Amino acid sequence: GASIVATNMTKVYGSGDAAFHALGPIDLDIKPGEFVSLIGPSGCGKSTTLLMASGLEPCTTGTIKVDGKALTKPLSEVGIVFQDHLLLDFRTAMNNVMLQQEIRGLDKAQTRARADMLFDRLGLSHAKDRYPRQLSGGMRQRVSIARALVHDPSMLLMDEPFGALDAITRTQIRHDLEMLWLETRKTVLFITHSIEEAVGLSDRVLVMSNNPGRIVEEIKIDLPRPRP
Ligand code: ADP
Ligand code: ADP
């Protein structure tokens, strides 16, 4: 996993009269292999923080560095999962994941082997040839996790990945995600509305508040599991 260090990071959307100070300044110091959750009310800047960590949104002021460097080829180092699975309807589960191989120009055999491993770990082995609409919501989110990890990024960013799932499905998928994380030790930034989920999964929970978005509290969690 990569380290993620942000210093005095702010985000202002728009400009002039329409300028809106959405976030910060905030600092982040996320260690390689750490699992960090962001919680806080709607609009406090959780998604904005995640997008800046991905390199998809620039900071307005301040800096964010991944492994000590500004993100130059963001998408090669990052895997992202959104609340909406964003799978392509006309491609099977495996073909949705393998699309990354084409888009990113990855080695085909290696990517397929990694996809097979991820399908296995995520309980998707029987679902490879199914289309998204033939899968449950939980299975579709599992496929989008496989897609986010197939290129072996150094960090996994998840924006309310389980927000649309029922409680039982959430518990199952959370368990499998934790097993996979223990095995791969990606650095994870995880947005959730569930304090229970944040506490159950993370090394650290960052609590944010509104107007502008700030980190107001940091909770270290000592879970009974091997440390990174
Ligand atoms: P959260 O994820 O905590 O709900 P967001 O990061 O999505 O918060 O949004 C933080 C604030 O910035 C909100 O007030 C939101 O309306 C605003 N915002 C987010 N994206 C944009 C954008 N592209 N343009 C203008 N304002 C935005
Ligand atoms: P494109 O629109 O370039 O064909 P995709 O459809 O795969 O790319 O994804 C759309 C956007 O979603 C990308 O630009 C990227 O921001 C994000 N995205 C999708 N999958 C991933 C992933 N596995 N890792 C990082 N970002 C991703």
mmCIF file of all heavy atoms in Angstrom, residues 51 54 56 74-82 85-86 88 96 99-100 103-104 144-151 153 155-157, ligand 2:
data_model
loop_
_atom_site.group_PDB
_atom_site.id
_atom_site.type_symbol
_atom_site.label_atom_id
_atom_site.label_comp_id
_atom_site.label_asym_id
_atom_site.label_seq_id
_atom_site.Cartn_x
_atom_site.Cartn_y
_atom_site.Cartn_z
ATOM 1 N N LEU A 51 -11.912 12.140 -3.816
ATOM 2 C CA LEU A 51 -11.571 12.475 -5.208
ATOM 3 C C LEU A 51 -10.205 13.151 -5.298
ATOM 4 O O LEU A 51 -9.459 12.935 -6.254
ATOM 5 C CB LEU A 51 -12.651 13.364 -5.832
ATOM 6 C CG LEU A 51 -13.955 12.641 -6.179
ATOM 7 C CD1 LEU A 51 -15.013 13.645 -6.627
ATOM 8 C CD2 LEU A 51 -13.741 11.577 -7.262
ATOM 9 N N SER A 54 -7.615 10.576 -5.073
ATOM 10 C CA SER A 54 -7.514 9.782 -6.302
ATOM 11 C C SER A 54 -6.778 10.534 -7.404
ATOM 12 O O SER A 54 -6.383 9.938 -8.402
ATOM 13 C CB SER A 54 -8.912 9.445 -6.824
ATOM 14 O OG SER A 54 -9.509 10.606 -7.398
ATOM 15 N N LEU A 56 -8.323 12.654 -9.202
ATOM 16 C CA LEU A 56 -9.338 13.031 -10.194
ATOM 17 C C LEU A 56 -9.768 14.489 -10.028
ATOM 18 O O LEU A 56 -10.205 15.117 -10.972
ATOM 19 C CB LEU A 56 -10.562 12.112 -10.091
ATOM 20 C CG LEU A 56 -10.320 10.650 -10.469
ATOM 21 C CD1 LEU A 56 -11.539 9.790 -10.124
ATOM 22 C CD2 LEU A 56 -9.981 10.515 -11.951
ATOM 23 N N PRO A 74 -2.586 9.040 -11.898
ATOM 24 C CA PRO A 74 -3.443 8.665 -10.786
ATOM 25 C C PRO A 74 -4.090 7.290 -10.936
ATOM 26 O O PRO A 74 -4.041 6.488 -10.033
ATOM 27 C CB PRO A 74 -4.497 9.763 -10.752
ATOM 28 C CG PRO A 74 -4.159 10.749 -11.784
ATOM 29 C CD PRO A 74 -2.890 10.354 -12.436
ATOM 30 N N LEU A 75 -4.688 7.051 -12.093
ATOM 31 C CA LEU A 75 -5.528 5.858 -12.152
ATOM 32 C C LEU A 75 -4.741 4.552 -12.121
ATOM 33 O O LEU A 75 -5.305 3.496 -11.888
ATOM 34 C CB LEU A 75 -6.456 5.914 -13.367
ATOM 35 C CG LEU A 75 -7.493 7.043 -13.263
ATOM 36 C CD1 LEU A 75 -8.491 6.966 -14.400
ATOM 37 C CD2 LEU A 75 -8.230 7.019 -11.940
ATOM 38 N N SER A 76 -3.410 4.622 -12.309
ATOM 39 C CA SER A 76 -2.677 3.357 -12.202
ATOM 40 C C SER A 76 -2.448 2.987 -10.740
ATOM 41 O O SER A 76 -2.277 1.829 -10.405
ATOM 42 C CB SER A 76 -1.351 3.446 -12.948
ATOM 43 O OG SER A 76 -0.576 4.474 -12.392
ATOM 44 N N GLU A 77 -2.479 4.000 -9.867
ATOM 45 C CA GLU A 77 -2.204 3.714 -8.460
ATOM 46 C C GLU A 77 -3.475 3.551 -7.641
ATOM 47 O O GLU A 77 -3.425 3.173 -6.478
ATOM 48 C CB GLU A 77 -1.363 4.856 -7.862
ATOM 49 C CG GLU A 77 0.036 4.924 -8.456
ATOM 50 C CD GLU A 77 0.682 6.283 -8.275
ATOM 51 O OE1 GLU A 77 0.913 6.633 -7.114
ATOM 52 O OE2 GLU A 77 0.932 6.971 -9.266
ATOM 53 N N VAL A 78 -4.607 3.844 -8.259
ATOM 54 C CA VAL A 78 -5.852 3.956 -7.512
ATOM 55 C C VAL A 78 -6.897 2.977 -8.024
ATOM 56 O O VAL A 78 -7.020 2.766 -9.225
ATOM 57 C CB VAL A 78 -6.420 5.394 -7.680
ATOM 58 C CG1 VAL A 78 -7.694 5.566 -6.887
ATOM 59 C CG2 VAL A 78 -5.391 6.429 -7.262
ATOM 60 N N GLY A 79 -7.649 2.406 -7.097
ATOM 61 C CA GLY A 79 -8.868 1.681 -7.452
ATOM 62 C C GLY A 79 -10.017 2.360 -6.740
ATOM 63 O O GLY A 79 -9.882 2.745 -5.577
ATOM 64 N N ILE A 80 -11.124 2.548 -7.425
ATOM 65 C CA ILE A 80 -12.247 3.264 -6.815
ATOM 66 C C ILE A 80 -13.526 2.450 -6.894
ATOM 67 O O ILE A 80 -13.815 1.836 -7.928
ATOM 68 C CB ILE A 80 -12.522 4.614 -7.509
ATOM 69 C CG1 ILE A 80 -11.245 5.445 -7.623
ATOM 70 C CG2 ILE A 80 -13.568 5.407 -6.743
ATOM 71 C CD1 ILE A 80 -11.484 6.855 -8.120
ATOM 72 N N VAL A 81 -14.282 2.487 -5.794
ATOM 73 C CA VAL A 81 -15.613 1.883 -5.779
ATOM 74 C C VAL A 81 -16.597 2.951 -5.320
ATOM 75 O O VAL A 81 -16.387 3.589 -4.289
ATOM 76 C CB VAL A 81 -15.674 0.679 -4.803
ATOM 77 C CG1 VAL A 81 -17.058 0.048 -4.823
ATOM 78 C CG2 VAL A 81 -14.603 -0.354 -5.146
ATOM 79 N N PHE A 82 -17.637 3.157 -6.116
ATOM 80 C CA PHE A 82 -18.670 4.129 -5.759
ATOM 81 C C PHE A 82 -19.916 3.406 -5.255
ATOM 82 O O PHE A 82 -20.035 2.181 -5.393
ATOM 83 C CB PHE A 82 -19.032 4.996 -6.976
ATOM 84 C CG PHE A 82 -17.885 5.840 -7.461
ATOM 85 C CD1 PHE A 82 -17.133 5.457 -8.559
ATOM 86 C CD2 PHE A 82 -17.539 7.017 -6.811
ATOM 87 C CE1 PHE A 82 -16.068 6.227 -9.010
ATOM 88 C CE2 PHE A 82 -16.477 7.798 -7.252
ATOM 89 C CZ PHE A 82 -15.741 7.400 -8.360
ATOM 90 N N HIS A 85 -22.640 0.843 -8.592
ATOM 91 C CA HIS A 85 -21.592 -0.073 -9.075
ATOM 92 C C HIS A 85 -20.990 0.342 -10.413
ATOM 93 O O HIS A 85 -19.848 0.014 -10.711
ATOM 94 C CB HIS A 85 -22.150 -1.501 -9.162
ATOM 95 C CG HIS A 85 -23.382 -1.606 -10.000
ATOM 96 N ND1 HIS A 85 -23.336 -1.672 -11.367
ATOM 97 C CD2 HIS A 85 -24.687 -1.618 -9.646
ATOM 98 C CE1 HIS A 85 -24.572 -1.735 -11.823
ATOM 99 N NE2 HIS A 85 -25.410 -1.698 -10.809
ATOM 100 N N LEU A 86 -21.748 1.076 -11.248
ATOM 101 C CA LEU A 86 -21.248 1.556 -12.541
ATOM 102 C C LEU A 86 -20.723 0.443 -13.444
ATOM 103 O O LEU A 86 -19.760 0.630 -14.190
ATOM 104 C CB LEU A 86 -20.140 2.612 -12.352
ATOM 105 C CG LEU A 86 -20.520 3.866 -11.556
ATOM 106 C CD1 LEU A 86 -19.284 4.725 -11.292
ATOM 107 C CD2 LEU A 86 -21.591 4.678 -12.286
ATOM 108 N N LEU A 88 -21.074 -2.081 -16.669
ATOM 109 C CA LEU A 88 -21.695 -1.987 -17.984
ATOM 110 C C LEU A 88 -22.657 -3.166 -18.165
ATOM 111 O O LEU A 88 -22.266 -4.321 -18.036
ATOM 112 C CB LEU A 88 -20.618 -1.992 -19.065
ATOM 113 C CG LEU A 88 -19.614 -0.833 -18.977
ATOM 114 C CD1 LEU A 88 -18.533 -0.962 -20.043
ATOM 115 C CD2 LEU A 88 -20.336 0.512 -19.106
ATOM 116 N N ASN A 96 -16.598 -7.089 -17.493
ATOM 117 C CA ASN A 96 -16.520 -5.764 -16.877
ATOM 118 C C ASN A 96 -15.163 -5.561 -16.214
ATOM 119 O O ASN A 96 -14.559 -4.496 -16.328
ATOM 120 C CB ASN A 96 -17.624 -5.597 -15.826
ATOM 121 C CG ASN A 96 -18.841 -4.868 -16.361
ATOM 122 O OD1 ASN A 96 -18.830 -3.654 -16.513
ATOM 123 N ND2 ASN A 96 -19.884 -5.623 -16.666
ATOM 124 N N LEU A 99 -12.263 -5.368 -18.761
ATOM 125 C CA LEU A 99 -12.198 -4.113 -19.517
ATOM 126 C C LEU A 99 -11.022 -3.256 -19.046
ATOM 127 O O LEU A 99 -10.402 -2.524 -19.835
ATOM 128 C CB LEU A 99 -13.520 -3.365 -19.345
ATOM 129 C CG LEU A 99 -13.733 -2.103 -20.177
ATOM 130 C CD1 LEU A 99 -13.615 -2.395 -21.665
ATOM 131 C CD2 LEU A 99 -15.104 -1.496 -19.869
ATOM 132 N N GLN A 100 -10.698 -3.362 -17.775
ATOM 133 C CA GLN A 100 -9.558 -2.619 -17.233
ATOM 134 C C GLN A 100 -8.260 -2.996 -17.940
ATOM 135 O O GLN A 100 -7.357 -2.176 -18.089
ATOM 136 C CB GLN A 100 -9.402 -2.898 -15.727
ATOM 137 C CG GLN A 100 -10.575 -2.425 -14.891
ATOM 138 C CD GLN A 100 -10.665 -0.922 -14.863
ATOM 139 O OE1 GLN A 100 -9.664 -0.223 -14.797
ATOM 140 N NE2 GLN A 100 -11.882 -0.404 -14.938
ATOM 141 N N ILE A 103 -8.381 -1.060 -21.226
ATOM 142 C CA ILE A 103 -8.246 0.384 -21.022
ATOM 143 C C ILE A 103 -6.840 0.754 -20.561
ATOM 144 O O ILE A 103 -6.256 1.742 -20.997
ATOM 145 C CB ILE A 103 -9.279 0.880 -19.978
ATOM 146 C CG1 ILE A 103 -10.695 0.781 -20.534
ATOM 147 C CG2 ILE A 103 -8.968 2.315 -19.533
ATOM 148 C CD1 ILE A 103 -11.777 1.054 -19.512
ATOM 149 N N ARG A 104 -6.298 -0.059 -19.680
ATOM 150 C CA ARG A 104 -5.017 0.255 -19.069
ATOM 151 C C ARG A 104 -3.835 -0.381 -19.778
ATOM 152 O O ARG A 104 -2.686 -0.175 -19.378
ATOM 153 C CB ARG A 104 -5.016 -0.190 -17.604
ATOM 154 C CG ARG A 104 -6.039 0.538 -16.765
ATOM 155 C CD ARG A 104 -6.210 -0.135 -15.407
ATOM 156 N NE ARG A 104 -7.286 0.465 -14.641
ATOM 157 C CZ ARG A 104 -7.167 1.559 -13.906
ATOM 158 N NH1 ARG A 104 -6.022 2.156 -13.813
ATOM 159 N NH2 ARG A 104 -8.205 2.045 -13.262
ATOM 160 N N SER A 144 -17.657 -4.786 -8.621
ATOM 161 C CA SER A 144 -16.993 -3.480 -8.765
ATOM 162 C C SER A 144 -15.754 -3.390 -7.869
ATOM 163 O O SER A 144 -14.805 -2.683 -8.211
ATOM 164 C CB SER A 144 -17.958 -2.310 -8.593
ATOM 165 O OG SER A 144 -18.447 -2.269 -7.304
ATOM 166 N N ILE A 145 -15.727 -4.142 -6.774
ATOM 167 C CA ILE A 145 -14.503 -4.203 -5.961
ATOM 168 C C ILE A 145 -13.413 -4.949 -6.745
ATOM 169 O O ILE A 145 -12.255 -4.517 -6.783
ATOM 170 C CB ILE A 145 -14.779 -4.861 -4.591
ATOM 171 C CG1 ILE A 145 -15.698 -3.959 -3.744
ATOM 172 C CG2 ILE A 145 -13.461 -5.121 -3.846
ATOM 173 C CD1 ILE A 145 -16.211 -4.597 -2.455
ATOM 174 N N ALA A 146 -13.795 -6.047 -7.388
ATOM 175 C CA ALA A 146 -12.815 -6.788 -8.205
ATOM 176 C C ALA A 146 -12.267 -5.891 -9.314
ATOM 177 O O ALA A 146 -11.060 -5.866 -9.581
ATOM 178 C CB ALA A 146 -13.462 -8.041 -8.798
ATOM 179 N N ARG A 147 -13.145 -5.125 -9.945
ATOM 180 C CA ARG A 147 -12.703 -4.219 -11.007
ATOM 181 C C ARG A 147 -11.716 -3.177 -10.468
ATOM 182 O O ARG A 147 -10.731 -2.835 -11.127
ATOM 183 C CB ARG A 147 -13.915 -3.512 -11.628
ATOM 184 C CG ARG A 147 -13.528 -2.506 -12.713
ATOM 185 C CD ARG A 147 -14.717 -1.759 -13.267
ATOM 186 N NE ARG A 147 -15.429 -1.056 -12.203
ATOM 187 C CZ ARG A 147 -16.617 -0.490 -12.331
ATOM 188 N NH1 ARG A 147 -17.255 -0.547 -13.485
ATOM 189 N NH2 ARG A 147 -17.185 0.116 -11.303
ATOM 190 N N ALA A 148 -11.984 -2.693 -9.269
ATOM 191 C CA ALA A 148 -11.105 -1.660 -8.690
ATOM 192 C C ALA A 148 -9.741 -2.212 -8.309
ATOM 193 O O ALA A 148 -8.788 -1.447 -8.188
ATOM 194 C CB ALA A 148 -11.789 -1.048 -7.470
ATOM 195 N N LEU A 149 -9.664 -3.538 -8.103
ATOM 196 C CA LEU A 149 -8.400 -4.117 -7.614
ATOM 197 C C LEU A 149 -7.628 -4.892 -8.670
ATOM 198 O O LEU A 149 -6.496 -5.318 -8.426
ATOM 199 C CB LEU A 149 -8.686 -5.047 -6.418
ATOM 200 C CG LEU A 149 -9.157 -4.348 -5.138
ATOM 201 C CD1 LEU A 149 -9.578 -5.376 -4.094
ATOM 202 C CD2 LEU A 149 -8.054 -3.445 -4.578
ATOM 203 N N VAL A 150 -8.212 -5.070 -9.842
ATOM 204 C CA VAL A 150 -7.612 -6.009 -10.803
ATOM 205 C C VAL A 150 -6.261 -5.534 -11.327
ATOM 206 O O VAL A 150 -5.407 -6.333 -11.685
ATOM 207 C CB VAL A 150 -8.595 -6.330 -11.959
ATOM 208 C CG1 VAL A 150 -8.703 -5.181 -12.952
ATOM 209 C CG2 VAL A 150 -8.195 -7.622 -12.654
ATOM 210 N N HIS A 151 -6.041 -4.218 -11.339
ATOM 211 C CA HIS A 151 -4.752 -3.709 -11.811
ATOM 212 C C HIS A 151 -3.759 -3.546 -10.670
ATOM 213 O O HIS A 151 -2.710 -2.939 -10.853
ATOM 214 C CB HIS A 151 -4.942 -2.404 -12.596
ATOM 215 C CG HIS A 151 -5.556 -1.294 -11.784
ATOM 216 N ND1 HIS A 151 -6.821 -1.349 -11.255
ATOM 217 C CD2 HIS A 151 -5.059 -0.101 -11.401
ATOM 218 C CE1 HIS A 151 -7.070 -0.241 -10.585
ATOM 219 N NE2 HIS A 151 -6.012 0.533 -10.652
ATOM 220 N N PRO A 153 -3.727 -1.811 -7.703
ATOM 221 C CA PRO A 153 -3.377 -0.436 -7.321
ATOM 222 C C PRO A 153 -2.811 -0.426 -5.909
ATOM 223 O O PRO A 153 -3.002 -1.376 -5.151
ATOM 224 C CB PRO A 153 -4.729 0.286 -7.347
ATOM 225 C CG PRO A 153 -5.708 -0.774 -6.974
ATOM 226 C CD PRO A 153 -5.190 -2.039 -7.624
ATOM 227 N N MET A 155 -3.694 1.850 -3.681
ATOM 228 C CA MET A 155 -4.747 2.246 -2.735
ATOM 229 C C MET A 155 -6.135 1.990 -3.303
ATOM 230 O O MET A 155 -6.354 2.032 -4.509
ATOM 231 C CB MET A 155 -4.600 3.696 -2.309
ATOM 232 C CG MET A 155 -4.672 4.663 -3.435
ATOM 233 S SD MET A 155 -4.635 6.353 -2.784
ATOM 234 C CE MET A 155 -3.785 7.170 -4.087
ATOM 235 N N LEU A 156 -7.028 1.715 -2.359
ATOM 236 C CA LEU A 156 -8.413 1.444 -2.710
ATOM 237 C C LEU A 156 -9.272 2.519 -2.056
ATOM 238 O O LEU A 156 -9.226 2.708 -0.835
ATOM 239 C CB LEU A 156 -8.807 0.059 -2.179
ATOM 240 C CG LEU A 156 -10.253 -0.368 -2.382
ATOM 241 C CD1 LEU A 156 -10.618 -0.438 -3.870
ATOM 242 C CD2 LEU A 156 -10.499 -1.738 -1.724
ATOM 243 N N LEU A 157 -10.010 3.250 -2.881
ATOM 244 C CA LEU A 157 -10.861 4.327 -2.381
ATOM 245 C C LEU A 157 -12.315 3.899 -2.564
ATOM 246 O O LEU A 157 -12.704 3.495 -3.666
ATOM 247 C CB LEU A 157 -10.593 5.623 -3.155
ATOM 248 C CG LEU A 157 -9.122 6.061 -3.240
ATOM 249 C CD1 LEU A 157 -8.988 7.328 -4.093
ATOM 250 C CD2 LEU A 157 -8.547 6.287 -1.842
HETATM 251 P P1 ADP B 2 -13.522 5.441 -19.356
HETATM 252 O O1 ADP B 2 -14.667 6.378 -19.162
HETATM 253 O O2 ADP B 2 -12.197 6.118 -19.559
HETATM 254 O O3 ADP B 2 -13.809 4.344 -20.341
HETATM 255 P P2 ADP B 2 -14.288 3.792 -17.104
HETATM 256 O O4 ADP B 2 -15.613 3.675 -17.711
HETATM 257 O O5 ADP B 2 -13.549 2.541 -16.782
HETATM 258 O O6 ADP B 2 -13.281 4.724 -17.943
HETATM 259 O O7 ADP B 2 -14.395 4.593 -15.747
HETATM 260 C C1 ADP B 2 -14.937 5.892 -15.692
HETATM 261 C C2 ADP B 2 -14.248 6.647 -14.616
HETATM 262 O O8 ADP B 2 -14.453 5.962 -13.375
HETATM 263 C C3 ADP B 2 -12.759 6.703 -14.835
HETATM 264 O O9 ADP B 2 -12.378 7.864 -15.514
HETATM 265 C C4 ADP B 2 -12.265 6.709 -13.441
HETATM 266 O O10 ADP B 2 -12.348 8.002 -12.951
HETATM 267 C C5 ADP B 2 -13.252 5.896 -12.653
HETATM 268 N N1 ADP B 2 -12.840 4.501 -12.518
HETATM 269 C C6 ADP B 2 -13.506 3.430 -12.990
HETATM 270 N N2 ADP B 2 -12.903 2.319 -12.656
HETATM 271 C C7 ADP B 2 -11.819 2.664 -11.952
HETATM 272 C C8 ADP B 2 -10.804 1.935 -11.310
HETATM 273 N N3 ADP B 2 -10.770 0.618 -11.308
HETATM 274 N N4 ADP B 2 -9.839 2.607 -10.683
HETATM 275 C C9 ADP B 2 -9.869 3.929 -10.664
HETATM 276 N N5 ADP B 2 -10.805 4.665 -11.231
HETATM 277 C C10 ADP B 2 -11.775 4.055 -11.869
#
